[in-house]
Amino acid sequence: MGRNRIYIRAEKFGLLALIPLYFIVVGLMIQPLSDIIPGLWRIIKEPDFLITDYFLVGGIGAAFINAGILTLAAIGTIYFLGMEMDGHTITSSCLMFGFSLFGKNLMNIWAILLGVYLYSKYHKTHMSRYIYIGFYGTSLSPIITQIMYITELPYLARLPLSILVGIAIGFVLPPLSAYTYKIQNGMNLYNMGFACGLLAMILVPVMSSMGANPTVAHHWAEGYNLHFAIFLGVLCLGLTVAGFFFSGRPAWAAWAGYRRLLRTTGRAPSDYLRMFGPAPVLINMGVNGLIGMAFILATGGDLNGPTLGGILTIMGFSAFGKHARNITPIMLGVVIGGVFMHFDINQSSVQLALLFGTTLAPISGYFGWPFGIVAGFLHSSVVLHAGTPVEGINLYNNGFSGGLLAI
């Protein structure tokens, strides 16, 4: 009995690992290995301001391998901590992959995770209680890279300083995120984005006074829509088919579960994996990924590192609050904002707002689709200015904006 249960648990984590492995294989197919190694080094050295598309910095293969390795490390960590898979497992893994295409890399996440580990030791609790906070908290990992650019300090001072700052961030985030979760009332799914935004508003002035000059960047790849539409479409269709036919449940039962999922509000916490099982969640992930891609292509946007990160984030939160009925009104609201306000819907920052603005999906699900459209409309404007105080070092900028609107 025990051996069978362990095997089933290992199988679940193995199936989740297929997503990063799929993209690693794609990366190796697209870019020669001789170019991937120097590409990874360029990614590690990049300052990582928003928006920094790793496809442009290191190449597609290097970006996919950077993201794939970090995601496999995250999945492996959760597994070896002895935890069972739940909605957070899928969400945090997809976020790790998505944001490792534009901001997180093989070097800049570890100090924050160490800080969270030390917090758990300080409070004499198991790391499993805080591991997801650690993964979400790597939203501030660009700060680690930024400190290395304080030219007034020698390198031997910058390196330990960056590690100490990362540890301090990780140590502070667990209590801070617990507080911000309460004040948003479950209406902003990216709670950690709001918590990290508040912390960044303190750190940015301190860094500037020490000689660092955080500023918004714009590295944005174009011209890959056909390639990535195929790769992403295959993944989304594969997840949908797996939900219907390879989940161990009859297809009609999976469809019935998915219909029940669509009737939920999505208000946090909504762990769909625990509530409905894997089959409806797989269908939800595939459908939502196709919706996100369709909106980007229909509005003349680009499929690249940041937008693929946004679509993967939607797919990840398909296990924790998002579904077709509560994300579509938010995205329509952002599109309407592009029509009536003084910005173009295919601007890079607005494309990201279109995808990441679905953090407000619970507003649409709880109050109804008209309020979802209003929330998306407001978000399309607020997010363009909410990142100014944090100068592009909080990767979850839409979570910060969503928190302001949710409050």
Side-chain angles (χ1 to χ4, degrees):
M1 182 71 176
R3 288 182 180 178
N4 187 47
R5 191 179 70 83
I6 292 172
Y7 171 74
I8 292 172
R9 176 175 173 270
E11 189 178 52
K12 290 178 182 177
F13 280 88
L15 289 171
L16 181 60
L18 289 178
I19 294 178
L21 287 172
Y22 170 77
F23 282 107
I24 287 175
V25 171
V26 170
L28 291 170
M29 290 170 55
I30 290 178
Q31 189 176 12
L33 190 60
S34 58
D35 293 339
I36 287 174
I37 303 301
L40 286 170
W41 180 240
R42 289 195 299 273
I43 285 172
I44 290 170
K45 294 193 301 179
E46 183 63 31
D48 296 325
F49 295 118
L50 277 179
I51 305 168
T52 299
D53 188 341
Y54 283 167
F55 286 172
L56 210 58
V57 173
I60 297 170
F64 277 154
I65 288 174
N66 174 69
I69 292 173
L70 286 180
T71 307
L72 290 173
I75 295 170
T77 299
I78 297 166
Y79 178 79
F80 287 110
L81 284 173
M83 302 168 66
E84 292 295 332
M85 181 176 289
D86 60 12
H88 277 301
T89 311
I90 297 174
T91 299
S92 62
S93 299
C94 287
L95 255 71
M96 185 63 76
F97 186 92
F99 282 92
S100 296
L101 298 175
F102 69 113
K104 301 180 185 182
N105 61 52
L106 294 169
M107 295 297 293
N108 66 8
I109 70 167
W110 306 111
I112 294 174
L113 291 171
L114 177 58
V116 175
Y117 172 76
L118 293 175
Y119 181 86
S120 71
K121 287 298 180 184
Y122 178 77
H123 286 276
K124 297 181 174 61
T125 55
H126 197 265
M127 181 61 177
S128 59
R129 181 174 177 180
Y130 301 110
I131 187 62
Y132 294 126
I133 293 175
F135 289 147
Y136 295 139
T138 54
S139 165
L140 290 175
S141 57
I143 290 178
I144 311 302
T145 314
Q146 287 304 304
I147 294 174
M148 299 301 293
Y149 285 81
I150 302 177
T151 54
E152 283 77 3
L153 296 176
Y155 177 80
L156 291 178
R158 282 180 270 160
L159 181 60
L161 180 61
S162 65
I163 295 172
L164 287 173
V165 170
I167 291 172
I169 290 170
F171 200 88
V172 167
L173 281 177
L176 178 60
S177 62
Y179 174 74
T180 56
Y181 181 82
K182 294 176 184 177
I183 63 176
Q184 294 170 97
N185 208 21
M187 292 297 173
N188 176 30
L189 293 176
Y190 306 163
N191 171 55
M192 189 57 73
F194 184 62
C196 289
L198 294 176
L199 192 54
M201 290 180 70
I202 299 171
L203 292 172
V204 167
V206 174
M207 289 172 58
S208 297
S209 65
M210 293 179 66
N213 293 298
T215 184
V216 176
H218 191 266
H219 303 287
W220 187 264
E222 298 177 351
Y224 298 108
N225 284 11
L226 178 60
H227 296 85
F228 293 135
I230 294 172
F231 296 136
L232 188 61
V234 168
L235 175 63
C236 292
L237 290 173
L239 290 170
T240 305
V241 170
F244 275 116
F245 299 107
F246 303 115
S247 64
R249 300 178 64 187
W252 64 265
W255 176 248
Y258 177 60
R259 290 181 63 187
R260 290 196 302 272
L261 185 153
L262 289 175
R263 291 196 290 268
T264 64
T265 66
R267 184 177 179 181
S270 294
D271 189 334
Y272 289 158
L273 193 61
R274 290 184 185 273
M275 295 165 65
F276 302 104
V281 168
L282 287 170
I283 297 169
N284 198 36
M285 291 176 69
V287 170
N288 289 352
L290 292 173
I291 290 173
M293 181 170 66
F295 265 93
I296 289 296
L297 295 176
T299 55
D302 301 296
L303 291 177
N304 54 22
T307 55
L308 283 183
I311 294 169
L312 263 294
T313 298
I314 291 175
M315 293 170 68
F317 273 93
S318 299
F320 206 88
K322 295 185 182 181
H323 54 70
R325 290 183 63 186
N326 67 7
I327 65 171
T328 304
I330 302 291
M331 300 173 88
L332 286 174
V334 175
V335 172
I336 292 171
V339 173
F340 289 99
M341 295 187 184
H342 293 285
F343 54 75
D344 295 325
I345 188 61
N346 56 4
Q347 281 181 222
S348 56
S349 55
V350 182
Q351 288 180 51
L352 295 184
L354 179 68
L355 298 170
F356 290 109
T358 53
T359 182
L360 295 169
I363 291 179
S364 175
Y366 189 82
F367 295 105
W369 65 264
F371 291 92
I373 291 177
V374 172
F377 181 84
L378 294 173
H379 180 78
S380 68
S381 178
V382 172
V383 73
L384 299 182
H385 302 280
T388 303
V390 299
E391 295 291 357
I393 64 172
N394 177 23
L395 294 176
Y396 305 164
N397 182 46
N398 279 266
F400 182 54
S401 169
L404 295 174
L405 285 168
I407 291 171

